[in-house]
Structures are given as C-alpha cells and as structure tokens.
Amino acid sequence: MASSAQDLGPVLDKDGVRLTVDDAIATVTLTNPAKRNVQSPALWRALTEAGRLLPGSVRVVVLRGEGKSFSAGLDRQMFTPEGIEGEPSFIDLAHRDDATLDATIAEYQEAFTWWRRNDVVSIAAVQGHAIGAGFQLALACDLRVVADDVQFAMRETSLGLVPDLTGTHPLVGLVGYARALEICATGRFVTAEESVSTGLANLAVPAADLDAAVQDLAAALLAAPRDAVIETKSLLRGAQHRTYDEQRTAERAAQTRRLRDLATLDD
C-alpha cells in the first residue's frame, strides 16, 4: 500500500516523517529506522503539518514506521543537558514558567490529536517496539493492527514523568482504569496477544503480513459510504460522554440527517 502511494511522490518528507497520498488513502511513515523512529519536537511539528496537508479526498490514514520498530519513544538526547540542537531540553523546559511550559506541551500534543477527527479513520500499523511516545502515537489512532512481535510500553512514569502526549484517555478507554494504571506505573511490556485480548489492538498478524492486513482493513473501511462512516464515528466517539438516553437522541438526529441526505440524492 505504501509503495503505490510513494509512486505519486510525497506530499511531505521532512524531520523523519513522510506523507504520501493515493486517492482516498494517506500513509504517514516514520522514516528514521536507524534510530528506531525516535521522536523529537521537530518530528511532532512534521506530524502536525501532515495532518494539515491531508487532501479532502482522504478517508483512511495509515500510520507506520520503517524498520524493525514502530517507534522507540522520545529521543533520549532530550534528557541530556545539551539536548537536541535547536530544541529545548527537558532541563530547559523544567525552568520555564507554568504558562510557557503548558503552551509548549500543548504544541507537542497537536501531533497526536488530529488522527481521531471525524472525517478520517486512522489505522496504526505497529511492529516491534512502541515505547512511551511511540505507544501514545499508536493510541492516537482510531484502530491498531499489530505484528506478533509488538512490544508496547509506557515508560514515562519510570523516568519520573507522566504520559502527556494524549495517550492516557484512549488507554483507559480501551483497557480500563486498573489495567491502564498497572501498565503505566510498572512500565512493563504489553505483547500482541494481550493487546488483542484487552482491546488495545484490533488484530495481530505475523510481521510479514502486517502491511497486507492493514491494506485489507483500509479497503473494508472504504467500502461503506463516507458520510455514513463519518456520522457513525461521531456517534461512537461521543457515546462515552453521553447518557443512554442522550445517545439514543444522538442516534435519531444522526439517522435523520442520513435519511434527509439520501432523500436528496433520490430527488
């Protein structure tokens, strides 16, 4: 799937992120396999830009990482006094006032927020290590297909930090509070088998079959009418914040909109 998109040339290719578009499918690829696709502020800015550059024709976004690992998390150079050239180190961040620090983290989080917007369905294709920020990036997507060698881990707490790249909300929603707390507080690895059994992943396949499995899922998602998928995704995303009766009302409103649209097509 990625190769056909790449034949068209990348829409974006910078700072370890490549965006390619093939009609209704966009592929966002992490392109630093030599460093296991570690993450930095520059990479986060590129991911945010990729979201802004998605053409309106795109219905499915696939997120993948080149090499043996999806993403090994933060570039550890951010923890050193010198940090990454041109970027604030964690020591620099620690000395900023609360408002500035909050704004900086909010900017970082933007790279993780657009994947769940209602007009696209995002799929993370995850192999090997997905650690810390890598785990949270996979969690940012709507769906996760994993290779049988996947190893998820949330290591921030072990480093004296907290997961702050939007991963805590989807993690609790997927596996529940108790298991989410245990995963984060211990920093242990979550395997492919556990990922599927707990709902963290939709499907686990042999590593050699990962791209094909994601391609099949993307094709299945594209088979349904786009507006119906958008309305359904909006309904499901809002369900956890509504009461049962509020959700019934939301269903009726969404179905009314769909029927009105279908009637317009018949006129």
Side-chain angles (χ1 to χ4, degrees):
M1 174 167 43
S3 60
S4 64
Q6 290 168 18
D7 292 341
L8 303 177
V11 177
L12 176 75
D13 195 353
K14 62 189 288 189
D15 297 321
V17 174
R18 182 172 61 243
L19 168 64
T20 54
V21 177
D22 186 359
D23 194 20
I25 300 177
T27 302
V28 178
T29 305
L30 307 181
T31 60
N32 190 7
K35 295 187 69 175
R36 296 193 299 166
N37 297 313
V38 294
Q39 298 183 33
S40 66
L43 180 139
W44 296 331
R45 288 191 292 270
L47 285 175
T48 300
E49 186 176 352
R52 293 171 180 162
L53 290 174
L54 284 184
S57 61
V58 170
R59 294 183 54 190
V60 174
V61 182
V62 175
L63 171 64
R64 57 187 297 274
E66 290 183 344
K68 295 182 178 180
S69 293
F70 175 75
S71 175
L74 291 175
D75 189 332
R76 290 302 182 94
Q77 196 169 339
M78 293 178 68
F79 291 92
T80 64
E82 61 273 14
I84 300 172
E85 185 177 357
E87 305 287 358
S89 68
F90 277 108
I91 294 174
D92 295 329
L93 291 174
H95 288 91
R96 293 184 175 183
D97 64 80
D98 287 353
T100 303
L101 182 54
D102 182 80
T104 300
I105 296 173
E107 179 186 348
Y108 296 164
Q109 288 176 331
E110 290 181 13
F112 297 76
T113 58
W114 62 266
W115 306 88
R116 288 179 178 263
R117 70 193 211 194
N118 289 336
D119 62 323
V120 297
V121 177
S122 54
I123 308 169
V126 191
Q127 80 285 358
H129 291 99
I131 310 297
F135 192 1
Q136 294 187 78
L137 187 56
L139 286 167
C141 292
D142 295 307
L143 310 173
R144 279 150 296 284
V145 178
V146 301
D148 53 11
D149 67 347
V150 75
Q151 291 184 298
F152 290 110
M154 202 73 83
R155 292 291 173 79
E156 284 84 351
T157 309
S158 304
L159 297 170
L161 303 170
V162 300
D164 67 338
L165 296 171
T166 77
T168 57
H169 188 277
L171 182 61
V172 171
L174 289 165
V175 306
Y177 161 75
R179 190 180 295 268
L181 175 60
E182 180 249 333
I183 287 170
C184 292
T186 65
R188 70 172 176 85
F189 286 118
V190 179
T191 64
E193 182 179 3
E194 182 181 354
S195 298
V196 174
S197 67
T198 59
L200 180 58
N202 297 81
L203 178 69
V205 297
D209 297 335
L210 182 60
D211 285 344
V214 171
Q215 186 174 9
D216 288 344
L217 178 55
L221 291 167
L222 292 175
R226 178 172 194 166
D227 288 344
V229 174
I230 290 173
E231 289 279 13
T232 301
K233 180 176 177 179
S234 178
L235 268 176
L236 295 174
R237 285 188 64 199
Q240 61 186 313
H241 305 297
R242 302 187 186 107
T243 65
Y244 177 77
D245 286 337
E246 288 171 344
Q247 186 68 4
R248 288 174 56 215
T249 300
E251 289 174 356
R252 295 197 301 272
Q255 192 71 298
T256 298
R257 287 192 293 272
R258 293 303 309 126
L259 291 171
R260 293 286 183 263
D261 287 345
L262 291 174
T264 301
L265 292 175
D266 288 338
D267 291 344

